[in-house]
Amino acid sequence: MSGPRPLDGITVVSLEHAIAAPFCTRQLADMGARVIKVERPGAGDFARAYDQRVRGLASHFVWTNRSKESLALDLKKPEAADVMERLLAQADVLVQNLAPGAAARLGLSFEALHARLPRLIVCDISGYGEGGPYQDKKAYDLLIQSESGFVSVTGSPDEPAKAGCSIADISAGMYAYSGILNALLLRGKTGLGSRVDVSMLESMVEWMGYPMYYAFEGAAPPPRAGAAHATIYPYGPFPVGDGHTVMLGLQNEREWLAFCTQVLQQPALAADSRFAGNAQRVAHREALRALIVQAFSGLTIGEVSARLDAAQIANARVNDMQGVWQHPQLQARGNWREIDSPAGRLPALRPPAHSNAFEPRMGAVPGVGENTDAVLASLGYAPEDVARLHAAEVV
């Protein structure tokens, strides 16, 4: 497949750090957009220093920053304003997740830009959004997981837990991505750019719709049930004799009968009044769990999975990260690619939405300022001007 990508010809300038905005703009780059990532000279995006797990590079950074160009630019220097003006004059989209109010102080609010750049789309990503009592409050992923109620319904009965990945950042990044795509479609109809205002809190609260409605008008929220389902049983993780864990889920009474006869091989359980219907199974979950664990204790994960598959009961292995790296389905579907980086070639997953019309861009993870001189040249700066900007530590 060598067809054009959906966002070929679109230029995105991003004042981004950490995860939400970089995750958004990486999706845009995957689809063909030219993404110019503006970073502080020297250190760059502070996410570059989160860890050194990928041959000296940070795991978060490698994940969210492929296929971009890095422009080192000190936005606090007066000379940077001309660079930004030239950049935005050629851009279709500006994305920023700076501290609240910082973009406006730099003259980069939608209102300030729209008058002279009417086709420019501006996407602002923040913790709580503009306006309201939380407007200026600092926001990090874990804090938003907490404010949105996510942590309160996640974890064990004894202790709440956060998600093991940056779910609030991912949520905001994906809504920013889809919002920018909508703004590009709208511009195609009106000829005008618009503002996309994305709040991490609102993004996560949208995802909390089920537990919120479950707790409608003061009702009790779903109980924390660890990795098990809060209101359906058996639906969750169970240990297997070889040390692995199987995740399984029953949805109806037909599956319960098949589970008893084909999986547990204890057909009499199907008639046990303690387990007659989901409500009874939930009420007696500890007794039922003990029976399931005992039945699985002499089996391997392969044997348990085979029985569940034969009974047409949904199941999965609880993989660790190495299990995911080696997952046979990802291999069979050809999902792995290689990308360049300052640490050499690295494996990377292609974007999840596969198209039969084009291949996504799978470009390099840039070093800090790696593309500075090339970007400045494309903006019309002569070599002596570039040298002057370097000497003044603007870039």
Side-chain angles (χ1 to χ4, degrees):
M1 293 179 289
S2 58
R5 299 183 181 98
L7 298 183
D8 283 351
I10 296 294
T11 297
V12 179
V13 174
S14 191
L15 309 178
E16 61 181 30
H17 55 244
I19 306 305
F23 189 63
C24 162
T25 58
R26 201 216 77 192
Q27 317 303 313
L28 298 169
D30 289 344
M31 295 299 105
R34 180 191 185 195
V35 176
I36 300 172
K37 179 184 180 78
V38 178
E39 301 190 74
R40 293 172 298 169
D45 181 343
F46 57 72
R48 289 181 179 271
Y50 278 173
D51 58 57
Q52 297 180 321
R53 302 299 294 239
V54 189
R55 298 176 191 161
L57 305 178
S59 50
H60 276 93
F61 193 85
V62 169
W63 165 45
T64 58
N65 285 284
R66 68 177 183 232
S67 304
K68 300 179 185 179
E69 300 171 45
S70 173
L71 167 65
L73 182 66
D74 186 346
L75 294 172
K76 295 180 180 180
K77 294 287 181 73
E79 299 93 329
D82 180 65
V83 178
M84 284 300 301
E85 189 67 22
R86 295 196 198 192
L87 268 178
L88 295 176
Q90 298 184 8
D92 299 278
V93 182
L94 169 65
V95 179
Q96 69 86 18
N97 69 331
L98 303 177
R105 289 192 293 273
L106 292 167
L108 298 174
S109 67
F110 174 75
E111 293 74 18
L113 293 169
H114 187 62
R116 65 182 187 275
L117 299 170
R119 290 179 55 81
L120 182 68
I121 293 161
V122 176
C123 178
D124 299 317
I125 304 173
S126 63
Y128 296 98
E130 186 176 325
Y134 282 46
Q135 170 181 277
D136 297 322
K137 195 174 176 70
K138 282 190 174 182
Y140 303 128
D141 179 86
L142 176 55
L143 306 182
I144 298 297
Q145 287 192 40
S146 301
E147 285 281 355
S148 67
F150 177 86
V151 169
S152 77
V153 298
T154 306
S156 69
D158 298 326
E159 187 175 10
K162 72 177 185 69
C165 63
S166 305
I167 190 171
D169 283 320
I170 294 167
S171 174
M174 290 308 294
Y175 280 115
Y177 171 49
S178 59
I180 289 167
L181 296 180
N182 287 337
L184 287 167
L185 289 171
L186 184 63
R187 190 180 70 175
K189 297 178 179 181
T190 67
L192 294 174
S194 54
R195 183 189 182 209
V196 180
D197 175 13
V198 178
S199 134
M200 292 170 67
L201 176 67
E202 291 162 0
S203 299
M204 274 302 294
V205 169
E206 167 62 26
W207 286 11
M208 293 298 294
Y210 148 65
M212 287 178 67
Y213 279 118
Y214 190 93
F216 189 56
E217 294 185 334
R224 291 194 300 268
H229 197 287
T231 56
I232 303 174
Y233 202 81
Y235 195 150
F238 295 90
V240 179
D242 63 0
H244 288 90
T245 300
V246 65
M247 185 76 69
L248 62 90
L250 273 68
Q251 294 286 343
N252 53 53
E253 296 313 296
R254 180 195 62 76
E255 290 186 353
W256 168 243
L257 177 61
F259 184 68
C260 293
T261 56
Q262 296 176 246
V263 180
L264 300 182
Q265 298 183 353
Q266 299 177 40
L269 271 182
D272 191 315
S273 61
R274 293 175 299 170
F275 312 131
N278 179 64
Q280 288 296 95
R281 292 193 289 273
V282 170
H284 297 95
R285 69 164 62 206
E286 292 307 318
L288 180 51
R289 175 178 172 78
L291 291 169
I292 295 171
V293 171
Q294 177 60 37
F296 287 175
S297 64
L299 302 173
T300 66
I301 185 69
E303 290 168 335
V304 171
S305 296
R307 287 189 186 185
L308 289 164
D309 287 341
Q312 297 185 338
I313 292 172
N315 66 93
R317 300 185 183 208
V318 179
N319 283 315
D320 60 13
M321 290 302 96
Q322 294 309 311
V324 179
W325 276 108
Q326 298 160 12
H327 201 293
Q329 186 69 4
L330 297 176
Q331 300 286 349
R333 296 254 296 159
N335 281 303
W336 289 107
R337 302 287 190 273
E338 279 199 336
I339 60 172
D340 285 318
S341 81
R345 301 286 285 175
L346 296 172
L349 282 170
R350 66 173 173 162
H354 305 160
S355 172
N356 71 339
F358 68 93
E359 277 290 328
R361 175 185 291 159
M362 300 288 289
V365 177
V368 179
E370 181 178 327
N371 311 101
T372 297
D373 290 1
V375 170
L376 293 175
S378 74
L379 298 177
Y381 284 95
E384 58 271 23
D385 295 324
V386 174
R388 178 179 52 80
L389 290 172
H390 277 290
E393 298 182 340
V394 177
V395 298

